[in-house]
Amino acid sequence: MVRPRVPLRRLCGLGQRELRCFGTYSRPQLVHARPLQSVSRLTHTATAQSRATKDGGFEQQKTVGQNLREEWARYNEFPRASGAEDFKEGQTVTVHGFLARKRVKHAKLVFADIQIDNGPAIQITSSFEELDGPGHAANQALRGVPLYSPVSVTGTVARLHSNTQPAETPPKADGVGRETHPPDGSSKPGSFPGQVFRIDLDLENIQPLNVFPKDIIVSKGVQFPPSARHLQIRFSDPLRTRLLVRPQIAFQLRKSLNDLAFTEVETPVLFKSTPEGAREFLVPTRRPGLAYALPQSPQQYKQMLMASGIRGYYQFARCFRDEDLRADRQPEFTQLDLEMSFATGKDVMQTVESIVSDLASSLNSDFSVVKKGEDVYLAPKKTLEATGQEDPTTHSRYMMPPFPRMSYEEAMTRFGIDKPDLRIPFELHRVDHVLPRSFISMITHLDNPVVETFRFRPSQVEEGGQLPTPGFIDELMKTLPPALARNPDGAPVALVVDSSKPLRGLSPLGFEGAGALESGEAGPNLSDLEDGDVLIFQARENKAFQGGSTAVGTLRTLLYQAAVANGLLPRDLSFQFLWVTNFPMFTPDNETDPGQGGQAGFSATHHPFTAPLTDEDVELLATDPLKARGDHYDLVVNGVELGGGSRRIHVAKMQEYVMREILKMTDAGVAQFSHLLEALRAGCPPHAGFALGFDRLVAVLTYTDSVRDVIAFPKSMKGEDLTVKSPGRITKEQLDTYHLAFPSKK
């Protein structure tokens, strides 16, 4: 068979490093040793060619070129991989992958593993009897291939291990049997019958398709720098597995929406600058004074689609926001965006619950939890059941719909945060009405504060009655974020219940305050105090809730996370979903978010297209806008906001009224939304929608706190791609082309 010609970059996964061999080679940043062996040879070849040309040694140049072509042919021409239907005992097959492990048992026997993706584990056996026999050459070739090199392996299927047959094999005469060990997980060559989880091959031929260099050291627990992201992915089971699970989650969500008759529509990435609420990235053009903006979300496009007659829209949309970065934020991210016409917020929430329910069922049936040391992640269930890695306690770990619903006001009152983690076993209680003035004045300078407390009860106590909590709380208080430690309303205060001390350790509260707690006057959940319980007190201003959390709400979350990390509370691997609704329609301006640029002193909490919740809230727009509630809903799981949505303003006059009269936007600011106002004016039906943060969803479901663990090439906390070194500096030629200039120094 004649292999078709393909572009150079596609051949055998040849990457940028290898391509440099044909130009100017530069030493990789991640190592400080000799250059790669193959690159060294090629560099020497290029040097020899140049010298031969200068010296007139054309024959030598011809020889060097021939050697280079032969070396290229050895790495470039290889047999095609076999399909799943070819894997039958006694059949000769070919597999492609990385040489992951070798075990030399004696002079004539070698075992090796081939790492593939999402498929069975491949173990090859190479042995021979005579030096001139057919197995000797293959055995020697296997011994000579460096570990981690890409290889093409041809062999005879000795055995298919499946869940329907025992995995044990009798030991060989020398006491060494074919080894069973967990598969790495990788792209399987097809769907194997009988739940095959491991394939044993007797080696006939092995061909290296490139050579893994000696100067990259791979050892147990090796940590590669961000500049070597390709090596991070390749040698980290949790990271690689999360990247393999991600498209399967996307596939299930897409399938569910297609089954519900939604239409996938792509919207432009080159948009224009509009004040939706976040900072934007601008894309200059060669037309003087004109620039695109990368979209914060497809919000305006999808509302125009509702006016165009699309009844149900969705897409996996790329979004861009120039924000301060955190573990759950990236300057570019993916969201599952959807919109429904002739619909209310309740309709959207039911739809989201439906697709999340489908996803949870799929994950429960197809994936299990893997625990390796501190790492916890998902892996395909069929590859774990037969190897004893599956955790039987994690079945049905997803809460099924309908999800509980809670107003913003209730969430802030009970948990001090608008995205509460329902796994945390302690709630807030307001106690300033039972505390003596002497204690209140000790923890805050505020005249009439709200004082809230919560009880933390560790689930483990050290032997001999020694309570681990006092020192633990002291250490926690030392590591609080500056915003909490230097809170102008007062720092948090922790009291530990201890019967060996006066008033059981609650003497700062006095007889009156301690008695009120013991009697249940401050709340029934505080009346059964036990030794080792910790009471955290925090004061705040006595005013309506604003923003996403209070100081005590943030501390409550930090304390829970620290307690789990220190073994004082068990790690809960379940997923507790929750709808938080009835958010304030507007939020006072702050120094972080640009808002809509109006002069009202406040901006839209969600975005300026959110509809008022009730007729009463419509009236409040004119009298007291900060008290108006929006028909806005967030989906929260385990303290993470997975996404948010709202019912939209679908009447053009109401939309313009909110922008112009309520937010006090300028004529120019309102004119930036003229396209949307025209679409609403053209008989746009009522509609509502939702945006699910896809990166966050995958991160949460695969047990990681950072979205960087589910993105192949993420940005750093400074917004830099450390693998390719972006963003790059602008050249003088680029500035001239796009009519840009740096501001003059003052």
Side-chain angles (χ1 to χ4, degrees), residues 13-23 36 38-39 42 210-211:
L14 195 62
Q16 292 294 331
R17 175 176 294 169
E18 288 76 14
L19 287 177
R20 292 195 194 106
C21 305
F22 299 91
L36 312 188
S38 58
V39 171
L42 293 173
N210 206 333
V211 179

mmCIF file with all atom_site columns, all heavy atoms in Angstrom, residues 13-23 36 38-39 42 210-211:
data_model
loop_
_atom_site.group_PDB
_atom_site.id
_atom_site.type_symbol
_atom_site.label_atom_id
_atom_site.label_alt_id
_atom_site.label_comp_id
_atom_site.label_asym_id
_atom_site.label_entity_id
_atom_site.label_seq_id
_atom_site.pdbx_PDB_ins_code
_atom_site.Cartn_x
_atom_site.Cartn_y
_atom_site.Cartn_z
_atom_site.occupancy
_atom_site.B_iso_or_equiv
_atom_site.pdbx_formal_charge
_atom_site.auth_seq_id
_atom_site.auth_comp_id
_atom_site.auth_asym_id
_atom_site.auth_atom_id
_atom_site.pdbx_PDB_model_num
ATOM 1   N N   . GLY A 1 13  ? 3.518  12.598 14.691 1.00 0.00 ? 13  GLY A N   1
ATOM 2   C CA  . GLY A 1 13  ? 3.467  13.512 15.813 1.00 0.00 ? 13  GLY A CA  1
ATOM 3   C C   . GLY A 1 13  ? 4.695  14.368 15.939 1.00 0.00 ? 13  GLY A C   1
ATOM 4   O O   . GLY A 1 13  ? 5.077  14.786 17.018 1.00 0.00 ? 13  GLY A O   1
ATOM 5   N N   . LEU A 1 14  ? 5.375  14.643 14.835 1.00 0.00 ? 14  LEU A N   1
ATOM 6   C CA  . LEU A 1 14  ? 6.609  15.423 14.899 1.00 0.00 ? 14  LEU A CA  1
ATOM 7   C C   . LEU A 1 14  ? 6.300  16.823 15.392 1.00 0.00 ? 14  LEU A C   1
ATOM 8   O O   . LEU A 1 14  ? 5.457  17.508 14.846 1.00 0.00 ? 14  LEU A O   1
ATOM 9   C CB  . LEU A 1 14  ? 7.247  15.504 13.507 1.00 0.00 ? 14  LEU A CB  1
ATOM 10  C CG  . LEU A 1 14  ? 8.698  15.976 13.451 1.00 0.00 ? 14  LEU A CG  1
ATOM 11  C CD1 . LEU A 1 14  ? 9.598  15.021 14.199 1.00 0.00 ? 14  LEU A CD1 1
ATOM 12  C CD2 . LEU A 1 14  ? 9.138  16.107 12.015 1.00 0.00 ? 14  LEU A CD2 1
ATOM 13  N N   . GLY A 1 15  ? 6.920  17.240 16.481 1.00 0.00 ? 15  GLY A N   1
ATOM 14  C CA  . GLY A 1 15  ? 6.607  18.520 17.106 1.00 0.00 ? 15  GLY A CA  1
ATOM 15  C C   . GLY A 1 15  ? 7.614  19.589 16.768 1.00 0.00 ? 15  GLY A C   1
ATOM 16  O O   . GLY A 1 15  ? 8.532  19.403 15.975 1.00 0.00 ? 15  GLY A O   1
ATOM 17  N N   . GLN A 1 16  ? 7.452  20.735 17.447 1.00 0.00 ? 16  GLN A N   1
ATOM 18  C CA  . GLN A 1 16  ? 8.301  21.888 17.159 1.00 0.00 ? 16  GLN A CA  1
ATOM 19  C C   . GLN A 1 16  ? 9.765  21.609 17.436 1.00 0.00 ? 16  GLN A C   1
ATOM 20  O O   . GLN A 1 16  ? 10.637 22.053 16.719 1.00 0.00 ? 16  GLN A O   1
ATOM 21  C CB  . GLN A 1 16  ? 7.830  23.075 17.995 1.00 0.00 ? 16  GLN A CB  1
ATOM 22  C CG  . GLN A 1 16  ? 6.451  23.606 17.591 1.00 0.00 ? 16  GLN A CG  1
ATOM 23  C CD  . GLN A 1 16  ? 6.480  24.199 16.209 1.00 0.00 ? 16  GLN A CD  1
ATOM 24  O OE1 . GLN A 1 16  ? 7.511  24.702 15.781 1.00 0.00 ? 16  GLN A OE1 1
ATOM 25  N NE2 . GLN A 1 16  ? 5.388  24.122 15.484 1.00 0.00 ? 16  GLN A NE2 1
ATOM 26  N N   . ARG A 1 17  ? 10.013 20.830 18.515 1.00 0.00 ? 17  ARG A N   1
ATOM 27  C CA  . ARG A 1 17  ? 11.418 20.593 18.872 1.00 0.00 ? 17  ARG A CA  1
ATOM 28  C C   . ARG A 1 17  ? 12.135 19.858 17.753 1.00 0.00 ? 17  ARG A C   1
ATOM 29  O O   . ARG A 1 17  ? 13.234 20.178 17.358 1.00 0.00 ? 17  ARG A O   1
ATOM 30  C CB  . ARG A 1 17  ? 11.486 19.792 20.173 1.00 0.00 ? 17  ARG A CB  1
ATOM 31  C CG  . ARG A 1 17  ? 12.904 19.410 20.549 1.00 0.00 ? 17  ARG A CG  1
ATOM 32  C CD  . ARG A 1 17  ? 12.943 18.711 21.870 1.00 0.00 ? 17  ARG A CD  1
ATOM 33  N NE  . ARG A 1 17  ? 12.543 19.605 22.925 1.00 0.00 ? 17  ARG A NE  1
ATOM 34  C CZ  . ARG A 1 17  ? 12.294 19.196 24.153 1.00 0.00 ? 17  ARG A CZ  1
ATOM 35  N NH1 . ARG A 1 17  ? 12.387 17.939 24.462 1.00 0.00 ? 17  ARG A NH1 1
ATOM 36  N NH2 . ARG A 1 17  ? 11.947 20.067 25.081 1.00 0.00 ? 17  ARG A NH2 1
ATOM 37  N N   . GLU A 1 18  ? 11.468 18.795 17.186 1.00 0.00 ? 18  GLU A N   1
ATOM 38  C CA  . GLU A 1 18  ? 12.101 18.039 16.122 1.00 0.00 ? 18  GLU A CA  1
ATOM 39  C C   . GLU A 1 18  ? 12.219 18.860 14.848 1.00 0.00 ? 18  GLU A C   1
ATOM 40  O O   . GLU A 1 18  ? 13.182 18.738 14.098 1.00 0.00 ? 18  GLU A O   1
ATOM 41  C CB  . GLU A 1 18  ? 11.306 16.756 15.858 1.00 0.00 ? 18  GLU A CB  1
ATOM 42  C CG  . GLU A 1 18  ? 11.440 15.709 16.969 1.00 0.00 ? 18  GLU A CG  1
ATOM 43  C CD  . GLU A 1 18  ? 10.617 16.066 18.192 1.00 0.00 ? 18  GLU A CD  1
ATOM 44  O OE1 . GLU A 1 18  ? 9.756  16.954 18.102 1.00 0.00 ? 18  GLU A OE1 1
ATOM 45  O OE2 . GLU A 1 18  ? 10.854 15.469 19.248 1.00 0.00 ? 18  GLU A OE2 1
ATOM 46  N N   . LEU A 1 19  ? 11.219 19.710 14.598 1.00 0.00 ? 19  LEU A N   1
ATOM 47  C CA  . LEU A 1 19  ? 11.271 20.507 13.385 1.00 0.00 ? 19  LEU A CA  1
ATOM 48  C C   . LEU A 1 19  ? 12.443 21.478 13.394 1.00 0.00 ? 19  LEU A C   1
ATOM 49  O O   . LEU A 1 19  ? 12.951 21.861 12.353 1.00 0.00 ? 19  LEU A O   1
ATOM 50  C CB  . LEU A 1 19  ? 9.959  21.282 13.217 1.00 0.00 ? 19  LEU A CB  1
ATOM 51  C CG  . LEU A 1 19  ? 8.750  20.421 12.797 1.00 0.00 ? 19  LEU A CG  1
ATOM 52  C CD1 . LEU A 1 19  ? 7.508  21.284 12.744 1.00 0.00 ? 19  LEU A CD1 1
ATOM 53  C CD2 . LEU A 1 19  ? 9.004  19.797 11.433 1.00 0.00 ? 19  LEU A CD2 1
ATOM 54  N N   . ARG A 1 20  ? 12.868 21.859 14.603 1.00 0.00 ? 20  ARG A N   1
ATOM 55  C CA  . ARG A 1 20  ? 14.017 22.759 14.671 1.00 0.00 ? 20  ARG A CA  1
ATOM 56  C C   . ARG A 1 20  ? 15.267 22.115 14.076 1.00 0.00 ? 20  ARG A C   1
ATOM 57  O O   . ARG A 1 20  ? 16.196 22.796 13.701 1.00 0.00 ? 20  ARG A O   1
ATOM 58  C CB  . ARG A 1 20  ? 14.315 23.138 16.127 1.00 0.00 ? 20  ARG A CB  1
ATOM 59  C CG  . ARG A 1 20  ? 13.264 23.997 16.795 1.00 0.00 ? 20  ARG A CG  1
ATOM 60  C CD  . ARG A 1 20  ? 13.835 24.597 18.074 1.00 0.00 ? 20  ARG A CD  1
ATOM 61  N NE  . ARG A 1 20  ? 12.808 25.163 18.909 1.00 0.00 ? 20  ARG A NE  1
ATOM 62  C CZ  . ARG A 1 20  ? 12.377 24.605 20.034 1.00 0.00 ? 20  ARG A CZ  1
ATOM 63  N NH1 . ARG A 1 20  ? 12.909 23.483 20.444 1.00 0.00 ? 20  ARG A NH1 1
ATOM 64  N NH2 . ARG A 1 20  ? 11.435 25.178 20.736 1.00 0.00 ? 20  ARG A NH2 1
ATOM 65  N N   . CYS A 1 21  ? 15.267 20.777 14.043 1.00 0.00 ? 21  CYS A N   1
ATOM 66  C CA  . CYS A 1 21  ? 16.447 20.087 13.517 1.00 0.00 ? 21  CYS A CA  1
ATOM 67  C C   . CYS A 1 21  ? 16.727 20.462 12.071 1.00 0.00 ? 21  CYS A C   1
ATOM 68  O O   . CYS A 1 21  ? 17.849 20.349 11.601 1.00 0.00 ? 21  CYS A O   1
ATOM 69  C CB  . CYS A 1 21  ? 16.244 18.580 13.598 1.00 0.00 ? 21  CYS A CB  1
ATOM 70  S SG  . CYS A 1 21  ? 15.849 18.003 15.253 1.00 0.00 ? 21  CYS A SG  1
ATOM 71  N N   . PHE A 1 22  ? 15.702 20.862 11.347 1.00 0.00 ? 22  PHE A N   1
ATOM 72  C CA  . PHE A 1 22  ? 15.877 21.181 9.938  1.00 0.00 ? 22  PHE A CA  1
ATOM 73  C C   . PHE A 1 22  ? 16.140 22.669 9.732  1.00 0.00 ? 22  PHE A C   1
ATOM 74  O O   . PHE A 1 22  ? 16.218 23.145 8.631  1.00 0.00 ? 22  PHE A O   1
ATOM 75  C CB  . PHE A 1 22  ? 14.637 20.732 9.154  1.00 0.00 ? 22  PHE A CB  1
ATOM 76  C CG  . PHE A 1 22  ? 14.414 19.255 9.253  1.00 0.00 ? 22  PHE A CG  1
ATOM 77  C CD1 . PHE A 1 22  ? 13.623 18.730 10.261 1.00 0.00 ? 22  PHE A CD1 1
ATOM 78  C CD2 . PHE A 1 22  ? 15.047 18.391 8.386  1.00 0.00 ? 22  PHE A CD2 1
ATOM 79  C CE1 . PHE A 1 22  ? 13.425 17.368 10.371 1.00 0.00 ? 22  PHE A CE1 1
ATOM 80  C CE2 . PHE A 1 22  ? 14.857 17.019 8.498  1.00 0.00 ? 22  PHE A CE2 1
ATOM 81  C CZ  . PHE A 1 22  ? 14.044 16.510 9.488  1.00 0.00 ? 22  PHE A CZ  1
ATOM 82  N N   . GLY A 1 23  ? 16.220 23.387 10.850 1.00 0.00 ? 23  GLY A N   1
ATOM 83  C CA  . GLY A 1 23  ? 16.560 24.799 10.764 1.00 0.00 ? 23  GLY A CA  1
ATOM 84  C C   . GLY A 1 23  ? 17.673 25.065 11.749 1.00 0.00 ? 23  GLY A C   1
ATOM 85  O O   . GLY A 1 23  ? 18.715 24.420 11.734 1.00 0.00 ? 23  GLY A O   1
ATOM 86  N N   . LEU A 1 36  ? 19.516 16.745 22.717 1.00 0.00 ? 36  LEU A N   1
ATOM 87  C CA  . LEU A 1 36  ? 18.946 15.444 22.409 1.00 0.00 ? 36  LEU A CA  1
ATOM 88  C C   . LEU A 1 36  ? 19.870 14.695 21.455 1.00 0.00 ? 36  LEU A C   1
ATOM 89  O O   . LEU A 1 36  ? 20.460 15.261 20.554 1.00 0.00 ? 36  LEU A O   1
ATOM 90  C CB  . LEU A 1 36  ? 17.570 15.606 21.760 1.00 0.00 ? 36  LEU A CB  1
ATOM 91  C CG  . LEU A 1 36  ? 16.582 16.563 22.439 1.00 0.00 ? 36  LEU A CG  1
ATOM 92  C CD1 . LEU A 1 36  ? 15.235 16.446 21.769 1.00 0.00 ? 36  LEU A CD1 1
ATOM 93  C CD2 . LEU A 1 36  ? 16.469 16.259 23.914 1.00 0.00 ? 36  LEU A CD2 1
ATOM 94  N N   . SER A 1 38  ? 19.230 12.496 19.011 1.00 0.00 ? 38  SER A N   1
ATOM 95  C CA  . SER A 1 38  ? 18.870 12.540 17.597 1.00 0.00 ? 38  SER A CA  1
ATOM 96  C C   . SER A 1 38  ? 19.105 13.922 17.022 1.00 0.00 ? 38  SER A C   1
ATOM 97  O O   . SER A 1 38  ? 19.565 14.068 15.892 1.00 0.00 ? 38  SER A O   1
ATOM 98  C CB  . SER A 1 38  ? 17.404 12.142 17.423 1.00 0.00 ? 38  SER A CB  1
ATOM 99  O OG  . SER A 1 38  ? 16.576 13.008 18.165 1.00 0.00 ? 38  SER A OG  1
ATOM 100 N N   . VAL A 1 39  ? 18.798 14.953 17.835 1.00 0.00 ? 39  VAL A N   1
ATOM 101 C CA  . VAL A 1 39  ? 19.018 16.316 17.366 1.00 0.00 ? 39  VAL A CA  1
ATOM 102 C C   . VAL A 1 39  ? 20.500 16.580 17.177 1.00 0.00 ? 39  VAL A C   1
ATOM 103 O O   . VAL A 1 39  ? 20.930 17.229 16.227 1.00 0.00 ? 39  VAL A O   1
ATOM 104 C CB  . VAL A 1 39  ? 18.413 17.326 18.359 1.00 0.00 ? 39  VAL A CB  1
ATOM 105 C CG1 . VAL A 1 39  ? 18.821 18.739 17.997 1.00 0.00 ? 39  VAL A CG1 1
ATOM 106 C CG2 . VAL A 1 39  ? 16.900 17.205 18.365 1.00 0.00 ? 39  VAL A CG2 1
ATOM 107 N N   . LEU A 1 42  ? 21.550 15.168 13.919 1.00 0.00 ? 42  LEU A N   1
ATOM 108 C CA  . LEU A 1 42  ? 21.073 15.939 12.789 1.00 0.00 ? 42  LEU A CA  1
ATOM 109 C C   . LEU A 1 42  ? 21.789 17.287 12.682 1.00 0.00 ? 42  LEU A C   1
ATOM 110 O O   . LEU A 1 42  ? 22.066 17.786 11.599 1.00 0.00 ? 42  LEU A O   1
ATOM 111 C CB  . LEU A 1 42  ? 19.560 16.149 12.898 1.00 0.00 ? 42  LEU A CB  1
ATOM 112 C CG  . LEU A 1 42  ? 18.724 14.861 12.754 1.00 0.00 ? 42  LEU A CG  1
ATOM 113 C CD1 . LEU A 1 42  ? 17.271 15.146 13.047 1.00 0.00 ? 42  LEU A CD1 1
ATOM 114 C CD2 . LEU A 1 42  ? 18.881 14.296 11.353 1.00 0.00 ? 42  LEU A CD2 1
ATOM 115 N N   . ASN A 1 210 ? 10.681 7.312  17.114 1.00 0.00 ? 210 ASN A N   1
ATOM 116 C CA  . ASN A 1 210 ? 11.499 8.447  17.538 1.00 0.00 ? 210 ASN A CA  1
ATOM 117 C C   . ASN A 1 210 ? 12.231 7.962  18.777 1.00 0.00 ? 210 ASN A C   1
ATOM 118 O O   . ASN A 1 210 ? 11.979 6.851  19.249 1.00 0.00 ? 210 ASN A O   1
ATOM 119 C CB  . ASN A 1 210 ? 10.644 9.688  17.825 1.00 0.00 ? 210 ASN A CB  1
ATOM 120 C CG  . ASN A 1 210 ? 11.423 10.982 17.646 1.00 0.00 ? 210 ASN A CG  1
ATOM 121 O OD1 . ASN A 1 210 ? 12.635 11.013 17.801 1.00 0.00 ? 210 ASN A OD1 1
ATOM 122 N ND2 . ASN A 1 210 ? 10.730 12.059 17.323 1.00 0.00 ? 210 ASN A ND2 1
ATOM 123 N N   . VAL A 1 211 ? 13.125 8.746  19.319 1.00 0.00 ? 211 VAL A N   1
ATOM 124 C CA  . VAL A 1 211 ? 13.910 8.308  20.470 1.00 0.00 ? 211 VAL A CA  1
ATOM 125 C C   . VAL A 1 211 ? 13.728 9.300  21.606 1.00 0.00 ? 211 VAL A C   1
ATOM 126 O O   . VAL A 1 211 ? 13.913 10.510 21.416 1.00 0.00 ? 211 VAL A O   1
ATOM 127 C CB  . VAL A 1 211 ? 15.402 8.179  20.109 1.00 0.00 ? 211 VAL A CB  1
ATOM 128 C CG1 . VAL A 1 211 ? 16.201 7.753  21.343 1.00 0.00 ? 211 VAL A CG1 1
ATOM 129 C CG2 . VAL A 1 211 ? 15.596 7.163  18.987 1.00 0.00 ? 211 VAL A CG2 1
#
